[in-house]
Amino acid sequence: MILHDAWLLATGTLTAVRVPPPTRVDRSVAGLAMVLAPLAVLPLAVVAAVVVLVGDRIGLPPLATAYVVVLALALGTRALHWDGLADTADGLTASYSAERSLEVMRTGPVGPAGVVAVVLVTGLQAAGLAAVVRHEHAWWVVALLVCASRACLALACVRGVPSARPDGLGASFIGAVPVVGAAAALLVAAVAVAFAGRALGSAWPTTIGLVVMVAVVLALLVRCVRRLGGITGDVLGAAVEISFAALVLAAATV
């Protein structure tokens, strides 16, 4: 069943939760897996919510709680998205040659650009979360934002976006999502951020955050297509971390 296989593929790829391998993996399954991404990461959302609740119960400072949330999410994804962010930053700053940049992204150790990107995005996420966790319903808000941030994957993998290379983890997913699938994922994200905003007191800042998230992801895609000839799995990971940063920073303004 395609839905079952897509769920297993999304959960196994996007989280560290151990699931059986899907019986079938093709473009249709991969595309549906990206559409299901906001729901497939529910285990990560639950872990993040528990961290916020425990941090509040034991009196942990908000910034410390925020960093533990970031750590928990990194462990829950095997730091896959952070690796993608670092590799993307290094690749885009490595050379004007697309071939050289892709080689750096594939095999190179983390360079200065990658380190700076990880430090900056980690700091932005932690700063936003530190403001959010002060609210009464913060655990619910953080869980919703974790799920909503993964809608960027359907957007990044929508049909028409080219793959920079035929192999690699992202090759099966890139360009596999129908436009209606990407729209559905963004609709789920819009509902999630609206509920998150209402829990904080106003839905407008989080809704604007979703718009900013979409704009930033589109800008990243355009830059990578022009620079690399397409996107890679590393770019998908970068999109996830940047998207979460945009959402929590918007929520921090409520």
Side-chain angles (χ1 to χ4, degrees), residues 39-230:
L39 302 178
V41 297
L42 278 172
L44 300 182
V46 171
V47 170
V50 170
V51 170
V52 174
L53 284 171
V54 172
D56 180 64
R57 180 64 62 88
I58 66 177
L60 200 63
L63 185 58
T65 299
Y67 270 108
V68 176
V69 170
V70 174
L71 174 61
L73 292 175
L75 293 175
T77 59
R78 310 180 191 89
L80 182 66
H81 304 319
W82 289 110
D83 178 70
L85 175 64
D87 286 345
T88 299
D90 284 334
L92 290 176
T93 58
S95 166
Y96 284 104
S97 165
E99 293 75 14
R100 172 59 182 162
S101 293
L102 289 171
E103 185 63 22
V104 168
M105 293 171 70
R106 182 201 296 268
T107 62
V110 178
V115 171
V116 170
V118 169
V119 170
L120 286 178
V121 177
T122 301
L124 290 174
Q125 289 184 3
L129 286 168
V132 171
V133 299
R134 291 182 170 90
H135 289 266
E136 181 181 358
H137 303 292
W139 65 275
W140 175 242
V141 172
V142 171
L144 287 171
L145 296 183
V146 169
C147 292
S149 66
R150 270 54 178 183
C152 72
L153 293 170
L155 177 63
C157 293
V158 73
R159 287 176 183 168
V161 177
S163 177
R165 52 181 177 237
D167 57 349
L169 179 61
S172 299
F173 299 97
I174 298 166
V177 177
V179 173
V180 66
L186 289 174
L187 179 60
V188 170
V191 172
V193 299
F195 274 110
R198 289 295 296 273
L200 294 174
S202 174
W204 281 111
T206 51
T207 301
I208 293 172
L210 180 62
V211 174
V212 172
M213 180 193 96
V214 171
V216 171
V217 170
L218 289 176
L220 176 65
L221 296 179
V222 170
R223 173 59 177 162
C224 289
V225 169
R226 290 179 176 176
R227 181 71 174 72
L228 307 173

